[in-house]
Amino acid sequence: MPTYNRADLAFERGEGAWLWTTDGRRMLDFGSGIATTSIGHAHPHLVKTVAEQAARVMHVSNLYRVPQAEKLAARLVESSFADSVFFCNSGAEANEGMMKAVRKYHAENGHPERFRFVCFEGAFHGRTLATLAATGNAKYLEGFGPPVEGFDHVPFGNMNAVRDAIGPNTAAIMIEPIQGEGGVRPADLRFLRELRAVCDEYGILLALDEVQTGMGRSGKLWAHQWAGIEPDVMSSAKGIGGGFPLGAILAKEKVAQYLKPGTHGTTYGGNPLACSAGNAVLDIILAPGFLDQVDRVARYLWQGMGALAARHPEVASGVRGAGLLIGLQLTPAVTNSAFQAAAVDEGLLTVAAGQNVLRVAPSLIITEAEVDAALAMLDRAAAKLTPVKAAAQ
Ligand SMILES: *Cc1c(COP(=O)(O)O)cnc(C)c1O
């Protein structure tokens, strides 16, 4: 179906941060398939694990125990706030399940009227009907009938608006610690702490969408750890499978206890193949020193992006984000799609985001030398775009 505006590029193989097109060009991948190939392309450990699992057994359904899923869940619990995990296949599906978990929690506690979510302008939570309503973007909702009921949007970062939006029907606050699609906008760490406090004050839940920010992307395993807070429930996807489709809901026992047999489910979710991929990714990300290196290289990239913006004030006005999720704010003179295309011409893949931001989200195994190479390509792309603007005047 004609759902995508695809670039005329096709890839036949990848290695680490690099991809080769079918016509033989080598490209540096600073998009990671939208922040998803967390340990790079064709990582030998991931490839071997998935290949061996595929040869043994891929799928059995959740009618049976799945040792790979039990192992992955135990490791996620060990390295997070959560007491238990539900596996699914995508970010939207994780968010749907997270919303169901929140509503069930209040219903079981005698408050079925608490079903509404306070969400944020500029959010992105997925493309299914409920996650679209949580996203709240009028453009995405148009033509798909009445939005699913129960989502109230307030300006990102505005605590007064959050307080005003909380009422007797509020079940939870749902937020991305860093808005990804919406333009790589990080929430203030103090704002996240205040959200935690206001949830405790009103007896509502804090539901974090860490689909894009989790699994090490911020330089810590979970982005909320920078704020020193814990959510009650959280979604994860994208980087968790390193490119293999996998999503997860992580929850405290007080929430998870109510998702009894029959309340929620999936056929594929958490199958042996997907969870073997998840375990292989965790083997790499949780290895001693790995996240320290992500943090180091992320700071290096941040500095370089700042210098780039300063060198090209007519093209870029600033840098925002955290870890290896960084946005280059472009000036009105240049669209992010034009910049993205110019970067492709230089051999660099990036991703556009909202508010005319160019998003870079390389795999977490990126080296400083590769950052230098990417910055040089961005620099040439910016230089090329500058005279375009001059000529247009
Ligand atoms: C990508 C994304 C989603 C949706 O994930 P899908 O796997 O595309 O369904 C939800 N939330 C956030 C924050 C995302 O970045």
Side-chain angles (χ1 to χ4, degrees):
M1 294 190 189
T3 37
Y4 303 107
N5 270 320
R6 298 176 192 271
D8 188 18
L9 288 168
F11 304 101
E12 64 181 14
R13 97 191 151 83
E15 194 182 315
W18 299 87
L19 281 169
W20 281 262
T21 64
T22 46
D23 55 8
R25 291 171 69 197
R26 188 176 83 137
M27 306 208 63
L28 185 52
D29 184 6
F30 266 49
S32 306
I34 318 185
T36 293
T37 51
S38 46
I39 58 171
H41 299 286
H43 191 292
H45 179 59
L46 178 58
V47 170
K48 182 166 180 284
T49 306
V50 169
E52 285 179 1
Q53 187 60 51
R56 249 181 254 123
V57 58
M58 290 190 211
H59 177 83
V60 293
S61 87
N62 289 301
L63 298 173
Y64 310 101
R65 287 181 54 186
V66 179
Q68 297 80 1
E70 291 174 9
K71 179 178 168 188
L72 181 57
R75 297 172 81 190
L76 290 171
V77 162
E78 174 76 17
S79 45
S80 76
F81 70 96
D83 300 309
S84 71
V85 182
F86 178 91
F87 292 114
C88 54
N89 311 285
S90 72
E93 195 187 352
N95 282 334
E96 287 267 347
M98 178 162 80
M99 294 177 215
K100 285 179 69 180
V102 164
R103 287 181 172 180
K104 196 72 166 174
Y105 166 83
H106 288 295
E108 293 279 337
N109 278 291
H111 291 287
E113 79 285 1
R114 289 196 176 188
F115 69 95
R116 303 192 71 85
F117 292 80
V118 175
C119 299
F120 293 87
E121 292 168 8
F124 184 81
H125 298 298
R127 297 288 199 156
T128 60
L129 286 169
T131 60
L132 260 188
T135 295
N137 183 327
K139 207 174 67 193
Y140 296 167
L141 281 160
E142 199 188 310
F144 297 114
V148 171
E149 175 70 7
F151 300 91
D152 303 307
H153 290 85
V154 301
F156 193 64
N158 186 329
M159 205 57 215
N160 288 335
V162 170
R163 284 188 170 276
D164 286 348
I166 295 172
N169 299 131
T170 303
I173 296 172
M174 180 169 172
I175 188 170
E176 301 153 82
I178 305 161
Q179 287 190 339
E181 308 300 311
V184 195
R185 284 203 295 176
D188 211 76
L189 297 183
R190 201 185 61 201
F191 181 63
L192 291 176
R193 288 183 206 116
E194 286 171 355
L195 291 181
R196 176 69 271 176
V198 87
C199 284
D200 294 339
E201 184 184 334
Y202 288 97
I204 59 180
L205 300 179
L206 181 60
L208 293 184
D209 179 344
E210 289 234 28
V211 166
Q212 186 155 170
T213 55
M215 289 312 289
R217 178 125 317 261
S218 74
K220 289 192 189 290
L221 191 60
W222 312 109
H224 67 261
Q225 292 173 318
W226 288 105
I229 57 156
E230 290 188 342
D232 300 294
V233 56
M234 176 177 83
S235 56
S236 175
K238 288 197 166 88
I240 195 173
F244 197 93
L246 177 64
I249 312 165
L250 287 77
K252 294 241 197 230
E253 178 60 19
K254 73 171 185 180
V255 178
Q257 63 179 317
Y258 300 119
L259 292 181
K260 297 194 185 92
T263 56
H264 194 50
T266 156
T267 300
Y268 289 136
N271 80 13
L273 192 58
C275 289
S276 75
N279 276 307
V281 168
L282 265 194
D283 289 341
I284 304 301
I285 292 184
L286 293 181
F290 183 85
L291 286 172
D292 294 332
Q293 170 56 21
V294 171
D295 188 46
R296 252 193 314 275
V297 77
R299 285 168 200 272
Y300 185 72
L301 174 61
W302 175 267
Q303 274 182 357
M305 294 288 285
L308 178 92
R311 262 197 314 280
H312 300 280
E314 288 173 59
V315 173
S317 59
V319 174
R320 58 208 211 181
L324 288 176
L325 181 58
I326 298 183
L328 186 65
Q329 174 68 64
L330 303 177
T331 64
V334 179
T335 65
N336 53 6
S337 46
F339 201 115
Q340 197 183 6
V344 164
D345 288 343
E346 300 301 326
L348 183 72
L349 301 174
T350 59
V351 192
Q355 300 191 330
N356 203 25
V357 163
L358 186 83
R359 176 173 24 165
V360 295
S363 60
L364 309 183
I365 49 117
I366 206 86
T367 64
E368 263 117 14
E370 286 159 342
V371 167
D372 286 339
L375 289 169
M377 294 179 205
L378 288 171
D379 200 61
R380 286 196 293 274
K384 273 195 190 155
L385 287 166
T386 308
V388 168
K389 185 209 162 209
Q393 278 177 342

